[in-house]
Amino acid sequence: MSRSTATPPFKAEDPAARLDPACDTLSWTPNFTAAANEDHKGYAALLADAAAVLRGESRDVPDIGDGVRAMERLERMIAQIGP
């Protein structure tokens, strides 16, 4: 596996996990070309939307109220799942 792989092994749940020099690194390098695999616009478009909103322009993007509602709904779902 290459060090530049986009999908290194997920180790958070593995208590015996160790760093593998072939694919792991202790430093994070941001990739400003893609915000996530499913977001084709990348960070540049997200930052442009954020800057426009800060300038007072209107954009069809989530606002803080949307974020608060999402977190409230997430908390309710987690509570319904139970311990």
Side-chain angles (χ1 to χ4, degrees):
M1 186 179 315
S2 164
R3 280 181 70 89
S4 63
T5 183
T7 55
F10 189 69
K11 300 179 181 185
E13 300 297 324
D14 182 1
R18 299 288 180 263
L19 288 176
D20 178 357
C23 64
D24 294 327
T25 178
L26 290 177
S27 64
W28 175 71
T29 304
N31 177 354
F32 293 110
T33 61
N37 291 341
E38 61 276 356
D39 184 355
H40 66 279
K41 297 181 300 179
Y43 284 117
L46 297 176
L47 290 172
D49 284 341
V53 170
L54 291 173
R55 287 191 303 266
E57 299 172 18
S58 177
R59 287 287 204 259
D60 187 22
V61 295
D63 62 17
I64 191 66
D66 296 321
V68 169
R69 283 185 293 281
M71 292 305 296
E72 289 170 345
R73 292 171 184 166
L74 177 62
E75 289 172 355
R76 278 198 307 273
M77 287 189 292
I78 291 171
Q80 290 174 4
I81 293 170

